[in-house]
Amino acid sequence: MSSAQAQAQLERQFVSADIAKCIGCGLCELACVIQNERSLNVAKSRIKVIHMTPLACTAVACRFCEDAPCVRACPRNALSQSEQTGVILVDDERCDLCGWCVEACPYGAIVVDPERNTVLICDLCGEEEPKCVEFCPTEALSLSTEEELRKKTFSSMASLFSEVRQVIDRGAWQHLFAKAVDIGRKVEEKFKELARWAWELGVYPEGGVRGA
């Protein structure tokens, strides 16, 4: 068991996003599919970016629910839940893509893979640190409990509204532009780091040639 999974076992932690920091760049989705699918097809990402408003974004992954509704909903017993980690385990041979688990999930965190005729659910990558967390350029992603996420969301909403109010009331455009430039630099750095890692794993765009 990895340290990330051991911590999740103790406190039932899952990957969550700070909406005051998330910019919706999608690098988390890329990191996920590179790690788990050795692919660049973000449709198979186990974490999904959601653009709630033009100014607010978040990302959603499995929350390892107690008495998980997806497990209860599955008519073929293709899903089970690890007692140690809370991670949802998928039996690909039993799954027939009926979609009941997708409907049952209250967070929209289950992804359909029609090519393999199964579903995909976050398992924290089995790593010391989930890859989506590692490659987030603004450090918006972290492992949280439900209670921690509630507190973080309340604080983040207040911070976001305060920043917007400063720009509107005080015309703090220079601050906003400087912040955008800094974030752009961080995204570029993380993207290059992600691209190097993908290349090392042999994952590159169709038609790409290693060493080109």
Side-chain angles (χ1 to χ4, degrees):
M1 185 191 306
S2 73
S3 62
Q5 289 180 325
Q7 188 70 6
Q9 172 187 351
L10 293 173
E11 302 183 38
R12 196 56 67 92
Q13 291 184 315
F14 50 88
V15 176
S16 67
D18 183 336
I19 62 172
K21 296 180 180 179
C22 180
I23 59 172
C25 66
L27 289 191
C28 58
E29 295 177 333
L30 270 175
C32 178
V33 292
I34 291 170
Q35 169 69 8
N36 294 294
E37 301 297 321
R38 295 298 191 263
S39 166
L40 297 176
N41 180 6
V42 295
K44 294 186 179 183
S45 173
R46 292 158 169 78
I47 185 169
K48 292 296 180 184
V49 172
I50 299 174
H51 296 265
M52 300 181 293
T53 74
L55 295 176
C57 302
T58 190
V60 175
C62 180
R63 294 194 179 184
F64 312 137
C65 302
E66 295 280 0
D67 190 24
C70 58
V71 175
R72 288 188 280 108
C74 181
R76 296 177 59 86
N77 296 319
L79 300 184
S80 59
Q81 188 165 27
S82 168
E83 293 183 3
Q84 290 184 321
T85 65
V87 166
I88 306 300
L89 308 173
V90 183
D91 186 334
D92 293 343
E93 293 185 1
R94 290 191 175 194
C95 181
D96 65 353
L97 283 188
C98 69
W100 286 21
C101 61
V102 177
E103 292 293 328
C105 178
Y107 304 108
I110 299 179
V111 179
V112 170
D113 183 355
E115 294 179 6
R116 297 215 313 266
N117 203 53
T118 190
V119 293
L120 309 173
I121 304 174
C122 174
D123 62 358
L124 299 179
C125 293
E127 294 282 320
E128 293 300 311
E129 182 178 45
K131 290 299 182 182
C132 57
V133 176
E134 178 183 343
F135 283 101
C136 179
T138 59
E139 300 181 350
L141 299 180
S142 62
L143 292 175
S144 305
T145 63
E146 287 285 356
E147 180 60 25
E148 289 169 341
L149 178 59
R150 277 193 290 269
K151 292 179 180 178
K152 180 168 63 177
T153 299
F154 180 80
S155 174
S156 296
M157 289 294 290
S159 174
L160 191 62
F161 285 132
S162 175
E163 186 172 19
V164 171
R165 178 59 62 186
Q166 279 190 332
V167 173
I168 294 175
D169 291 347
R170 303 179 187 176
W173 296 105
Q174 288 301 115
H175 167 74
L176 190 63
F177 293 151
K179 182 178 179 180
V181 169
D182 182 55
I183 290 175
R185 177 184 55 78
K186 291 178 178 178
V187 170
E188 182 178 6
E189 290 174 355
K190 278 294 183 179
F191 181 79
K192 289 179 179 178
E193 184 182 337
L194 183 65
R196 284 193 297 269
W197 172 58
W199 203 257
E200 290 169 1
L201 294 176
V203 181
Y204 32 86
E206 188 173 349
V209 179
R210 183 181 282 278

